[in-house]
Amino acid sequence: VQLQAYGGGLVQAGGPLRLSCAASGRTFSSYCMGWFRQAPGKEREFVAVISQSGTTTTYADSMKGRFTISRDNAKNTVYLQMNSLKLEDTAVYYCAADSRYTVLVESYDYWGQGTLVTVSS
């Protein structure tokens, strides 16, 4: 599966932003989809994951209550709605796909190219 993330940009602290990740192929619904991010000088970290059907989600503690992951299998797209953005949310955000439901970066087989989110004060 090929993934393309988009929707990043410059946003003021406290504001919202929605990221999208479009997948190619007809097997999108067979993959769990995750969002990860990597800030400058830091390791890539888990943000959220959603199950194949969309009924199960898991978030990193710092994103709970602010971020929402969702998917539309008919459109082969996964979303990340980010609200109440903070300066420390600035990072390149990546979507990823795997057959397993996991929060581990190293487990994911397929990655999108990343989209930059910059939160300003």
Side-chain angles (χ1 to χ4, degrees):
V1 62
Q2 293 184 322
L3 306 173
Q4 183 170 3
Y6 57 96
L10 178 64
V11 61
Q12 284 194 325
L17 194 66
R18 188 176 84 157
L19 305 182
S20 301
C21 174
S24 64
R26 295 180 291 177
T27 60
F28 175 73
S29 61
S30 68
Y31 291 98
C32 295
M33 297 299 298
W35 283 97
F36 295 80
R37 69 184 187 184
Q38 187 165 18
K42 295 188 177 181
E43 294 186 350
R44 194 169 298 187
E45 65 173 348
F46 168 73
V47 173
V49 59
I50 189 167
S51 62
Q52 289 93 332
S53 64
T55 56
T56 303
T57 57
T58 300
Y59 298 89
D61 287 343
S62 60
M63 288 76 166
K64 287 180 182 177
R66 299 191 300 125
F67 291 9
T68 302
I69 188 171
S70 62
R71 66 190 296 161
D72 185 338
N73 285 343
K75 295 182 178 180
N76 282 9
T77 302
V78 62
Y79 305 97
L80 184 68
Q81 177 67 46
M82 304 184 292
N83 296 326
S84 303
L85 282 163
K86 304 175 181 180
L87 297 179
E88 53 264 39
D89 293 320
T90 294
V92 177
Y93 284 72
Y94 299 88
C95 57
D98 196 83
S99 58
R100 298 157 292 182
Y101 189 85
T102 176
V103 304
L104 300 177
V105 173
E106 59 268 25
S107 295
Y108 282 78
D109 293 329
Y110 304 99
W111 290 86
Q113 84 288 0
T115 185
L116 176 62
V117 174
T118 303
V119 183
S120 65
S121 59

